[in-house]
Amino acid sequence: TPAKAKQLEFVLTAIEPARASQYLTKHLAANRIPKDGSGPWIGLIGTAGGPGELKMLFDQVKAGGFDSGATVRAMDALYDAGRLRKISPAGGPAGIGQLLAANDPAVKMAATRLAGIWRLGGQIGNLMKIASDNGEALPIRSSAIDALRTIGGGGAVAELKKLTGAEYSLPIRKLAVASLAALGPNEAAQPFFAVLAEIKTEDEGLDLWRGMLSGKDAAQTLIANMPDNLSKPAALSGLRVAREGGRREPELVAALMPHTGLSITAQKMTPERIKEMIGLVSSQGDPHRGETVYRRTELACVTCHAIGGVGGKVGPDMTSLGASAPVDYIIESLYDPNAKIKENYHSVIVATEEGQVLTGVQVSSTDEEFVIRDATDKLIRIPAAEVVDTKNGKSLMPTGVIDRLDQKDQIDLITFLTRLGKPGDFDASKGGVARIYEVFAGTHRMEQQGADRITSGAITEGWQPLTARVNGSVPGSTLAELTTPPANISLVNVYLRTHIEAASDGPVTFSVDGTDQAALWVDGQAIDGKKTDLKAGKHTVVVRLDARGLPDQFKLHSRDVSFAVQ
């Protein structure tokens, strides 16, 4: 049973490794792991097995002794043993080449991860073949590039440089540059700026800058190699990354500023200035407009903070900020994030043995793993054995985050924050309202194929994410913007999809604000009168609105279910 498997895993990981290995060897000698991988044995070998047991597992993988799912689980267990415990199969990893050539994409992906963690320099050619193959899926190519970075050395650097060439797609070139940066910023600087010259928007450059600045001493290398014709979007994305995540790169910021076109800098918040700002918030602030400022992608507020459960977990929850924090505290925190850092939200800076410098909020730490959440709300798991040094940082919120906002935007943003949690349009503390949607354009062509293909979930592509306002409403103008069809194609309906969970079996009633013409489906079944009986568990709700008469504001709510927030 799962409970007994957990108990056995606890015992085997608690006793001396030699004794655990002895037990597993004895068991496996008499009992071959089933082809479907059932039982606790694959996981136990990964967490407690020694080189001998890992070899037995790897041999069964190579011999085709598992079905597809069990093969991948076995390879993942081998990967975990190498990553967390620095143990690999006895006798070496001969035979990995056949797995890198597997037809099953999941097996090929797992094989690239093993080639990296086992640092198989002899497989650089095979990894490059995968990484450079336009016919391979991007996640597999990305894994192969990551494996080249992990292997390192001159051979890997040479192949990664090839992948930054103009013949490869921008996503592949970005991944190659980030891997080069981890191996040494000097190797990556020229390809970095070459790729950066191709970005058209600020957001396109963010992951490129983040990858580059994760390398040790990367900022100084970038300053030394920065071209005179750096584009404004490239400079803005660099400025944003240089200030985020607890990074403190004042020299890089100074080098980028002339290319950004920005001249506004955050004013020092003296008591007199704070008092003046409070007066402006009270007399001129527009909280509704401030909410639109809050949602601007370049500020990344939504990435780091949650309101009503929707948003990131990097920074403190904002749901009740206005009801619990005085205005002067909110103002000071915006202009100087390090003035008053909330408990448990200090950053930690982690240096790894591969030369990476990672910053985030610490989530957990064990003997095996150090886990942080970075400024993009992504969990990063670092094997404890690879951590060279850690030190406390400051707030993950970047200084100067509102530098680019004019005073009207700043005042409206502060006004919005001061209203959060107070009764009215900015109280997200109460549930019962949908906040996360996917939106689909029901064009004439799509409707001809049958609406049931849309409402049943048979059509998986074309849905766009949408987050409702704090009060749960969605402006009709937003729906129109997200579903604007191409020329010569007419829009018939707009579909919104969200997910719910019913705590128990029973009747559920939905309400739609803004229109009485909405049609609803739950799990592909039409609802008559917006009321239905549901079984306990998770369900999918689809709402259809007539595109010719979209409401000014739309809201879906129900007190009988919980709406998904992630």
Side-chain angles (χ1 to χ4, degrees):
T1 66
K4 289 185 177 179
K6 283 291 184 184
Q7 291 175 355
L8 184 57
E9 179 181 354
F10 175 78
V11 171
L12 291 180
T13 54
I15 63 177
E16 295 178 5
R19 294 178 62 192
S21 178
Q22 185 179 24
Y23 172 84
L24 286 171
T25 298
K26 183 177 179 180
H27 175 85
L28 294 174
N31 303 274
R32 183 179 176 85
I33 302 175
K35 190 174 181 66
D36 64 359
S38 57
W41 305 109
I42 289 178
L44 288 173
I45 292 172
T47 56
E53 293 73 51
L54 295 176
K55 181 180 186 303
M56 295 173 70
L57 184 63
F58 189 47
D59 286 345
Q60 189 166 340
V61 167
K62 292 186 294 182
F66 292 116
D67 62 23
S68 178
T71 296
V72 173
R73 293 205 311 276
M75 295 172 75
D76 286 345
L78 291 165
Y79 174 81
D80 287 341
R83 178 174 178 269
L84 300 175
R85 300 192 291 128
K86 305 296 184 184
I87 299 178
S88 58
I96 190 72
Q98 70 186 63
L99 298 172
L100 287 169
N103 292 324
D104 187 331
V107 172
K108 182 177 289 188
M109 170 85 83
T112 61
R113 284 157 41 93
L114 283 178
I117 203 64
W118 288 342
R119 288 173 168 72
L120 303 181
Q123 296 301 324
I124 287 177
N126 285 331
L127 290 168
M128 181 60 182
K129 182 179 179 181
I130 295 171
S132 59
D133 186 352
N134 290 328
E136 291 284 4
L138 182 60
I140 296 178
R141 298 175 73 184
S142 173
S143 184
I145 291 172
D146 188 61
L148 290 170
R149 175 190 61 78
T150 305
I151 292 169
V157 167
E159 299 302 328
L160 287 169
K161 282 187 174 181
K162 293 177 184 177
L163 291 170
T164 66
E167 65 270 29
Y168 294 105
S169 66
L170 192 58
I172 291 299
R173 298 174 72 191
K174 285 182 177 181
L175 291 167
V177 168
S179 290
L180 277 172
L183 297 175
N186 289 323
E187 301 286 358
Q190 185 175 351
F192 168 79
F193 284 114
V195 175
L196 196 62
E198 296 187 20
I199 73 164
K200 299 294 188 289
T201 67
E202 178 181 336
D203 285 350
E204 286 179 353
L206 295 177
D207 54 351
L208 192 59
W209 278 99
R210 286 170 182 144
M212 189 67 191
L213 287 177
S214 68
K216 188 177 181 181
D217 300 325
Q220 293 301 318
T221 302
L222 292 176
I223 293 170
N225 290 274
M226 191 173 296
D228 294 333
N229 62 343
L230 188 68
S231 71
K232 182 176 179 179
L236 286 171
S237 60
L239 182 67
R240 184 164 151 191
V241 174
R243 287 172 161 177
E244 76 179 5
R247 288 189 179 95
R248 295 295 176 264
E249 306 287 0
E251 293 180 355
L252 179 58
V253 168
L256 288 169
M257 282 298 290
H259 301 277
T260 65
L262 297 177
S263 59
I264 301 173
T265 56
Q267 300 182 44
K268 184 175 179 59
M269 282 296 106
T270 63
E272 293 74 23
R273 177 59 177 160
I274 291 176
K275 184 177 180 180
E276 178 187 351
M277 294 287 284
I278 292 174
L280 291 172
V281 167
S282 176
S283 62
Q284 300 180 16
D286 181 346
H288 294 280
R289 187 176 179 279
E291 182 172 1
T292 65
V293 176
Y294 176 86
R295 296 186 183 280
R296 291 182 187 174
T297 56
E298 65 268 24
L299 297 184
C301 302
V302 176
T303 302
C304 294
H305 300 278
I307 299 176
V310 177
K313 299 178 181 178
V314 180
D317 188 281
M318 308 279 269
T319 304
S320 302
L321 178 67
S324 60
V327 182
D328 58 348
Y329 173 89
I330 294 173
I331 292 173
E332 187 175 16
S333 296
L334 276 176
Y335 286 91
D336 185 3
N338 297 303
K340 296 181 177 68
I341 304 175
K342 192 171 182 180
E343 187 177 0
N344 298 324
Y345 287 98
H346 284 79
S347 65
V348 60
I349 302 170
V350 184
T352 73
E353 64 179 17
E354 291 186 348
Q356 288 186 295
V357 180
L358 307 171
T359 306
V361 173
Q362 184 175 339
V363 175
S364 65
S365 178
T366 67
D367 290 340
E368 293 185 340
E369 242 180 1
F370 195 92
V371 184
I372 61 175
R373 188 184 299 276
D374 71 7
T376 66
D377 202 37
K378 177 184 176 182
L379 283 179
I380 300 178
R381 301 181 179 277
I382 311 163
E386 295 181 5
V387 175
V388 175
D389 188 26
T390 65
K391 62 180 181 180
N392 292 329
K394 297 182 178 180
S395 171
L396 277 185
M397 181 175 170
T399 55
V401 69
I402 56 175
D403 280 5
R404 67 184 65 195
L405 301 180
D406 60 28
Q407 180 163 290
K408 173 61 175 170
D409 286 345
Q410 293 180 16
I411 294 302
D412 290 342
L413 173 62
I414 295 168
T415 305
F416 164 69
L417 296 176
T418 64
R419 298 290 181 87
L420 288 173
K422 295 178 179 178
D425 282 345
F426 305 100
D427 182 7
S429 61
K430 299 175 183 178
V433 63
R435 301 185 183 281
I436 294 290
Y437 293 98
E438 293 168 288
V439 182
F440 186 85
T443 62
H444 180 69
R445 292 179 181 178
M446 298 303 302
E447 295 287 341
Q448 283 182 327
Q449 299 176 28
D452 59 313
R453 297 185 67 245
I454 303 172
T455 58
S456 67
I459 296 179
T460 58
E461 296 184 358
W463 294 88
Q464 297 189 67
L466 169 66
T467 302
R469 288 177 171 172
V470 170
N471 66 1
S473 67
V474 178
S477 58
T478 300
L479 294 176
E481 181 181 345
L482 289 174
T483 55
T484 301
N488 302 320
I489 297 179
S490 60
L491 184 67
V492 179
N493 293 304
V494 172
Y495 294 84
L496 296 99
R497 181 169 65 188
T498 190
H499 303 282
I500 62 171
E501 184 167 3
S504 59
D505 298 351
V508 172
T509 300
F510 295 96
S511 298
V512 176
D513 293 351
T515 178
D516 57 3
Q517 300 299 316
L520 275 73
W521 288 259
V522 176
D523 300 333
Q525 299 298 313
I527 298 177
D528 185 15
K530 300 182 180 62
K531 185 174 182 179
T532 188
D533 287 317
L534 293 182
K535 294 288 186 182
K538 297 181 179 180
H539 304 274
T540 299
V541 179
V542 175
V543 182
R544 184 178 67 193
L545 303 175
D546 189 333
R548 294 165 297 184
L550 291 174
D552 292 336
Q553 301 287 335
F554 164 84
K555 183 190 294 187
L556 174 68
H557 48 101
S558 173
R559 291 297 177 187
D560 303 322
V561 297
S562 298
F563 287 91
V565 293
Q566 297 293 340

